[in-house]
Amino acid sequence: MAFRASLDVRRSWRPGHAPALLVIPLGLIVTVCVVDVLSPPHIHLGPLLVAAPAITVALAGARVTALIGALAVAAQVLIGVLRGVWDTANVQAQIAALIVVSAVCVTVCVVRGRRERQLHQVRSVAEAAQSVLLQPLPTRSGPLRIAGLYIPAEEEADLGGDLYAAARTAHHSTRLLIGDVRGSGLGAISNTALLLGAFRAAAHRQATLPRLAIHLDAAFRWDTSQWRPPTEQDAMEDFATAVLLDIPDHEPVVHLISCGHPPPLILRGHRVIPLVAEASHLPIGFGGAFGIADYRVQTFPFEAGDLLLLYTDGVIEARDTGGRFYPFTERAPQWTTDDPDELLCHLQGDLLAHVHGHLDDDAAVVAIRRLSSADQPL
């Protein structure tokens, strides 16, 4: 599940890539040529031909722009010949102006083409790096079907401060992380990469969720503070809210530790059950004084057919033009019969419709359905 398809719709038209609209400058040339020849001697529409290559700059590349410029010059010459004013200074000045404008337009197209190629290379590298950081979730893990949705607030970005990841353990369970790093921009992406890397390195090795939480907190604090002067240590503001989950294959429960993050939801039929932990611990990055005994693991029923939703505050805090929050807990039960991918597809469309296509904050959702033994492959 990805947001890239929606971005591609917005990027489908780009300057220099609309060949179907070339009828506009071509029609302009024909219209000016015909009207000018049929008009009275005191009416001269030839100067309007300069608009043809100028318009083509936004519709096509350098070669087509040069061709339209050449056609405009030829049309101006034809007008001068048919009206018997070919050798006048006025017509020759118009032809010279058309040649100059066409040359400038072609130069603009060449420079733009080079910049587009450079931008495409940079974007390709960025997309490759982002896909490595925020790897797609597995579609299956034991008895679980999993799907993830990430909607960046910035249209050209594929990764921001929200994150999710999954790992398989040796004791037949699936561990998941969903989190929200404070801030935005490159700083948030750097901390996102740090937290994802620490989770992937340790999620399958740490024996318990409290040990995993301590590892993530220590790794996050060390990396974000190791180069800070001692006087700035107390002013550190890097942190991340997160929920850590462990879902056993052979037990219908989910174990979780909440670190200041919105509570997951279980959809059971048309019921919404928030998994509100009795103790919400400090966000990742603030738990330096915590030991293993301080992290309390909460256990909730997670039965076959249940759908578990993990999300970030970018979903529940999304506002429409009237300032109303997105009614996540009211809308989600409408799609409980769908598989995780279909549910997230409906959620994405509904959320973007609520905010009229523009989110103020990144949003991430993970949907997990526990299959019954009859639905699992042999």
Side-chain angles (χ1 to χ4, degrees):
M1 187 72 184
F3 188 61
R4 189 179 304 277
S6 299
L7 289 179
D8 289 340
V9 172
R10 287 198 289 265
R11 296 173 184 167
S12 60
W13 184 88
R14 293 177 296 161
H17 297 271
L21 297 179
L22 288 177
V23 295
I24 296 175
L26 290 173
L28 176 63
I29 292 174
V30 173
T31 302
V32 169
C33 191
V34 173
V35 174
D36 197 303
V37 170
L38 298 179
S39 297
H42 64 280
I43 296 178
H44 302 281
L45 300 181
L48 294 178
L49 290 170
V50 74
I55 293 173
T56 309
V57 171
L59 306 177
R63 293 182 180 179
V64 177
T65 301
L67 176 61
I68 295 297
L71 290 176
V73 172
Q76 183 63 72
V77 172
L78 179 62
I79 291 172
V81 171
L82 293 178
R83 301 194 65 167
V85 292
W86 154 250
D87 56 349
T88 63
N90 186 37
V91 172
Q92 292 178 357
Q94 292 177 19
I95 293 174
L98 267 174
I99 293 173
V100 171
V101 170
S102 298
V104 171
C105 291
V106 171
T107 302
V108 169
C109 288
V110 171
V111 173
R112 184 188 63 205
R114 291 176 179 174
R115 295 296 299 272
E116 284 185 347
R117 288 190 292 271
Q118 293 173 352
L119 180 60
H120 177 73
Q121 292 175 351
V122 171
R123 183 176 293 158
S124 297
V125 172
E127 288 178 351
Q130 290 171 344
S131 65
V132 169
L133 291 178
L134 193 66
Q135 297 175 2
L137 293 172
T139 56
R140 290 294 300 269
S141 177
L144 308 178
R145 291 192 64 178
I146 306 173
L149 169 67
Y150 191 93
I151 309 178
E154 297 181 13
E155 294 182 1
E156 295 298 324
D158 293 315
L159 179 64
D162 289 5
L163 58 101
Y164 51 67
R168 190 74 178 154
T169 69
H171 52 276
H172 305 293
S173 72
T174 301
R175 284 186 174 168
L176 295 115
L177 162 71
I178 188 164
D180 185 357
V181 173
R182 177 192 176 276
S184 59
L186 293 178
I189 293 176
S190 175
N191 289 336
T192 298
L194 166 64
L195 197 53
L196 286 171
F199 176 83
R200 290 174 183 141
H204 65 286
R205 293 190 294 105
Q206 300 297 335
T208 64
L209 282 184
R211 288 186 180 277
L212 178 58
I214 289 174
H215 172 83
L216 295 182
D217 182 81
F220 191 88
R221 285 186 295 107
W222 170 253
D223 196 273
T224 56
S225 65
Q226 61 178 321
W227 305 117
R228 295 176 184 266
T231 55
E232 297 182 9
Q233 296 296 322
D234 293 338
M236 187 177 68
E237 297 182 351
D238 293 322
F239 64 88
T241 64
V243 172
L244 293 169
L245 304 99
D246 189 89
I247 305 176
D249 289 354
H250 306 296
E251 190 178 357
V253 296
V254 54
H255 309 291
L256 69 83
I257 290 178
S258 176
C259 298
H261 199 78
L265 303 176
I266 281 186
L267 305 183
R268 184 172 296 152
H270 293 288
R271 295 173 55 203
V272 179
I273 306 172
L275 304 187
V276 180
E278 295 180 0
S280 182
H281 305 94
L282 291 175
I284 301 294
F286 286 159
F290 280 13
I292 294 177
D294 296 308
Y295 282 102
R296 296 181 59 185
V297 178
Q298 294 288 122
T299 300
F300 299 90
F302 183 36
E303 303 169 357
D306 288 352
L307 189 68
L308 176 62
L309 288 178
L310 318 176
Y311 56 94
T312 61
D313 58 9
V315 177
I316 58 176
E317 294 180 0
R319 299 173 183 260
D320 62 12
T321 53
R324 293 181 293 271
F325 290 113
Y326 178 67
F328 183 51
T329 57
E330 298 174 13
R331 301 287 178 84
Q334 301 176 12
W335 309 308
T336 54
T337 58
D338 298 328
D339 66 27
D341 285 305
E342 292 177 350
L343 183 147
L344 294 186
C345 183
H346 289 305
L347 173 60
Q348 177 182 352
D350 194 51
L351 177 61
L352 291 178
H354 181 79
V355 298
H356 299 283
H358 177 70
L359 286 170
D360 293 327
D361 191 12
D362 299 337
V365 185
V366 178
I368 307 128
R369 185 180 293 281
R370 181 185 283 277
L371 303 177
S372 64
S373 56
D375 294 329
Q376 298 179 39
L378 298 177

